[in-house]
Amino acid sequence: MDVACPRWLDFIHGGLQFQAVHHLFPRVPRHNLRRLQPLVRAFCKDIGIEYKILGFVDGNKEVLGRLGEVAGQVEMLIKCQKFMAETGESGLH
């Protein structure tokens, strides 16, 4: 997912708004990421992969929502670990 922002904010974001492009091409200098984004978007469209670009607020909501999901998964793993430590039961038979 990328975050939509005007060109004049590129310096402030430091290239972090182009996460998808950066993770595909980590060695590309950040000042070239905006030029590379349309090429990656076209490629994704050709092969049927969703390329998300959200605004700052919606992007943060998406990230925080995912972090909440991951936290729930960690809580479940901790409960399983405690159960196995207390009972000696691994569930592997």
Side-chain angles (χ1 to χ4, degrees):
M1 176 191 87
D2 288 350
V3 178
C5 76
R7 183 178 296 278
W8 60 272
L9 278 176
D10 283 356
F11 179 77
I12 292 170
H13 285 285
L16 294 175
Q17 73 275 31
F18 300 112
Q19 281 293 297
V21 177
H22 165 69
H23 284 278
L24 288 170
F25 304 100
R27 299 190 83 167
V28 169
R30 66 182 181 191
H31 64 273
N32 289 326
L33 295 174
R34 183 175 290 276
R35 292 187 350 203
L36 188 56
Q37 186 187 51
L39 301 172
V40 175
R41 287 181 72 187
F43 175 76
C44 288
K45 184 178 180 181
D46 288 347
I47 62 170
I49 295 176
E50 179 183 17
Y51 190 104
K52 270 190 181 180
I53 300 178
L54 299 175
F56 184 77
V57 173
D58 290 334
N60 279 301
K61 285 180 184 177
E62 177 97 9
V63 169
L64 293 175
R66 295 282 183 236
L67 290 175
E69 291 174 18
V70 171
Q73 294 171 6
V74 170
E75 286 177 4
M76 176 62 75
L77 290 172
I78 291 170
K79 287 179 184 177
C80 291
Q81 182 183 31
K82 285 181 181 178
F83 175 80
M84 290 188 298
E86 292 169 358
T87 65
E89 175 64 42
S90 68
L92 302 174
H93 298 240

